[in-house]
Amino acid sequence: MSAPGLPSPGVNAVSYDVDAIRADFPILEQTVHGRPLVYLDNAATAQKPRVVIDAVDRFFRQQNANIHRGVHALSAEATVAYDAVRAKVRAFINAQDDREIIFVRGTTEAINLVAQSFGRGAVGRGDEILVSEMEHHSNLVPWQLLAEQVGAVVKPAPITSEGELDLDALRAAFSDRTKLFAVTHVSNALGTVNPIAEIVATAHASGVPVVVDGAQAVPHIPVDVTALGCDFYAFSGHKMFGPTGVGVLYGRAELLEAMPPYQGGGGMIASVSFEGTTYAPIPTRFEAGTPAIAEVIGLGPAIDYLNEVGFEALMAYEDELVGYAVEQIGSVPGVRLIGTPEERVGVVSFVMDAAHPHDVGTVLDQDGVAVRAGHHCSQPVMDHFGVPATVRASFALYNTPEEIDTLVAGLHHVNEIFG
Ligand code: C6P
């Protein structure tokens, strides 16, 4: 499968059979409005391979029981399956200890957990929380809530006109009042990949812990939290081909051990009485109540799937694909690309002279092309570029150059209708 000017992915240095990959995702066989589905809304949520769908289905048909509670066979089996995924996640992000992996609902919950548990202890009146200007609201609003609660200030770390972090301004932004830095690994609105290891080193030189939002990184690039050196790393299962309702918070054991519980309830205690309650060790301390058992178990095969495709092959393929998208979308008359970062994965955002992003999205939908139009829960990014919204095409390992051609034909169609 190749488009003019784009070498066939199948003949890349590393082998990549996109047709075989597409065959693993049943939903991609669908038609929408009578046209083949072209799913380019992967940053919102990615589609699921059969191995993930089957694992969740198998759980409910054959294994369903609560975990860490029952003495019966089913509960033991579900517990083993659930705990095995923790080890798989640890290996996937190269954390040092299974206890550093906390299952949560998603990136949003992970960051709120850090803000309300770690943040309440680390940030006080008059302190500053530094937050990059390219954050999704999930890595901004929890810090604003914390700042209101403790009397701190949220300070923006600016981005450049290319949509990259302004590293000089960032270095200058740290002061002895800075108690925390929150930054995304990959921007969901621009696709920018931030140099996390370098940023972490800068922050740590000022004694500032770093919380990284990895939601848009994990489906596209290998993540090694040990090499990055970050203190916390958050991501969602559903953007990396796993189920919704499950996400991961990685935290350095030393920090997690010193943090109070985020929520109280079953499963997170050592002992409970009216005289006083003591809490379970990490990670259980942070997993109150019945967790998303089926979803955690479904995350396991999503990780296996990514590992089987292999990040080397995946990155080589996606790099060409996104490069082709930038070139083709950027050459449509009346298109302005929003964000031109040097390091980019997964996302191309743009506006058109002819029509509002919502109208562009509606026309594309009629052609079977699913994109997102809006502010992408990143309003400060929109403000920076002086637009209320963008059209965002976001890519995954199963997208093809032909799908980009269909998108581009749709953009010409928009120009014909509105131009
Ligand atoms: N971005 C998008 O269309 P949750 O909803 O908790 O799984 O993920 C939140 C989140 C956090 N950080 C980043 C960088 C994100 O992209 C997202 C989710 C989706 O861009 C839905 S708004």
Side-chain angles (χ1 to χ4, degrees), residues 30-228:
Q30 281 193 29
T31 55
V32 170
H33 305 307
R35 311 284 293 270
L37 168 66
V38 174
Y39 188 74
L40 300 179
D41 196 17
N42 294 286
T45 198
Q47 300 302 348
K48 318 305 173 201
R50 203 170 276 107
V51 284
V52 169
I53 299 167
D54 289 350
V56 175
D57 181 79
R58 194 180 325 112
F59 174 78
F60 284 124
R61 286 177 192 278
Q62 295 172 11
Q63 295 176 309
N64 181 47
N66 212 326
I67 55 160
H68 298 150
R69 284 158 172 83
V71 291
H72 57 82
L74 271 188
S75 176
E77 196 183 320
T79 300
V80 169
Y82 178 92
D83 288 341
V85 180
R86 200 184 304 278
K88 208 178 274 277
V89 171
R90 182 202 55 71
F92 181 65
I93 60 170
N94 194 33
Q96 296 305 298
D97 190 330
D98 287 3
R99 296 176 312 136
E100 298 180 314
I101 305 302
I102 298 165
F103 289 122
V104 289
R105 276 196 301 129
T107 308
T108 305
E109 187 173 51
I111 295 170
N112 277 280
L113 190 164
V114 179
Q116 291 302 314
S117 175
F118 177 77
R120 286 250 189 172
V123 182
R125 182 160 298 281
D127 287 339
E128 290 174 357
I129 304 164
L130 195 57
V131 178
S132 113
E133 206 186 346
M134 70 170 83
E135 296 313 301
H136 184 279
H137 299 165
S138 290
N139 203 20
L140 169 55
V141 181
W143 306 117
Q144 290 176 322
L145 289 170
L146 172 66
E148 274 173 30
Q149 288 157 351
V150 302
V153 174
V154 173
K155 189 168 146 181
I159 59 176
T160 64
S161 52
E162 288 79 28
E164 295 172 331
L165 262 183
D166 184 334
L167 294 178
D168 289 334
L170 177 65
R171 276 186 278 273
F174 287 100
S175 77
D176 51 9
R177 290 199 172 161
T178 314
K179 292 295 184 294
L180 205 138
F181 179 42
V183 65
T184 195
H185 199 166
V186 171
S187 158
N188 70 310
L190 306 167
T192 313
V193 184
N194 286 318
I196 296 297
E198 186 186 336
I199 293 170
V200 168
T202 305
H204 283 181
S206 302
V208 176
V210 183
V211 181
V212 181
D213 174 348
Q216 298 294 349
V218 282
H220 300 295
I221 55 180
V223 170
D224 180 335
V225 292
T226 303
L228 294 175

